[in-house]
Amino acid sequence: MQDSGTFKLDDGKDFVIEHRLDDEGGLSIWFHGGLVVRHGDRFERYLTHLEELAQIADEANVAHVHCHLEDLGEVLSRAQHAIYRMLHAIRAHGRSVTIYATGEEPEQSEHLRMSRLFVEGVSKQPGAPVKLTEVRRAS
């Protein structure tokens, strides 16, 4: 199992996902760039990678997942919903989740809004804790 890794679509200039396992049982996942593709091989590779990240959380007996959306750009709703499906599956297996998001750019505001809705929705259900941390960058 990889302690860290990078997933790139094509040349990695547009969209990258990084992950790292730490010694305290945490899995951190960072999304960078925008995913603007509706279907085809690129989208299928993206979905497969999200499934692999959920699998890593299970196989490594991760206690907590840190999902960083601060640098996530424009993402089609289907791709964005796939992130929340991944987080929901991870939480369903008993892992607590913290989502980090910012509202500094218009597309980032959408991720912040969606993260709030996700946290509100799943917090009403029994299971591992889930929370949202709004990141404010120094100007």
Side-chain angles (χ1 to χ4, degrees):
M1 178 180 350
Q2 287 183 298
D3 287 345
S4 65
T6 302
F7 169 80
K8 296 179 181 180
L9 274 180
D10 302 327
D11 57 11
K13 291 180 184 172
D14 299 327
F15 185 75
V16 175
I17 303 172
E18 297 176 283
H19 77 272
R20 184 176 63 236
L21 290 167
D22 65 32
D23 295 335
E24 289 81 44
L27 171 63
S28 295
I29 305 168
W30 294 270
F31 290 83
H32 305 279
L35 178 63
V36 187
V37 61
R38 292 186 191 279
H39 54 277
D41 181 56
R42 294 178 81 218
F43 194 76
E44 291 304 317
R45 285 187 292 139
Y46 165 73
L47 293 177
T48 299
H49 187 69
L50 294 183
E51 291 171 6
E52 290 168 1
L53 290 170
Q55 209 170 17
I56 288 170
D58 274 351
E59 292 173 2
N61 292 317
V62 165
H64 191 87
V65 173
H66 302 273
C67 182
H68 294 269
L69 303 179
E70 307 100 300
D71 295 319
L72 184 58
E74 185 178 349
V75 177
L76 293 171
S77 64
R78 189 169 163 225
Q80 188 178 26
H81 285 259
I83 293 170
Y84 296 107
R85 279 195 310 276
M86 174 195 68
L87 294 174
H88 193 272
I90 287 171
R91 182 179 180 265
H93 286 116
R95 279 85 177 131
S96 58
V97 174
T98 301
I99 301 170
Y100 301 86
T102 185
E104 293 175 349
E105 300 291 329
E107 64 271 8
Q108 294 169 339
S109 293
E110 173 62 13
H111 303 310
L112 181 60
R113 186 183 75 77
M114 288 293 293
S115 294
R116 283 185 182 132
L117 291 172
F118 174 77
V119 170
E120 285 174 24
V122 298
S123 292
K124 296 174 185 170
Q125 303 167 8
V130 59
K131 69 178 186 174
L132 171 64
T133 299
E134 186 173 348
V135 176
R136 299 193 189 275
R137 297 185 176 133
S139 45

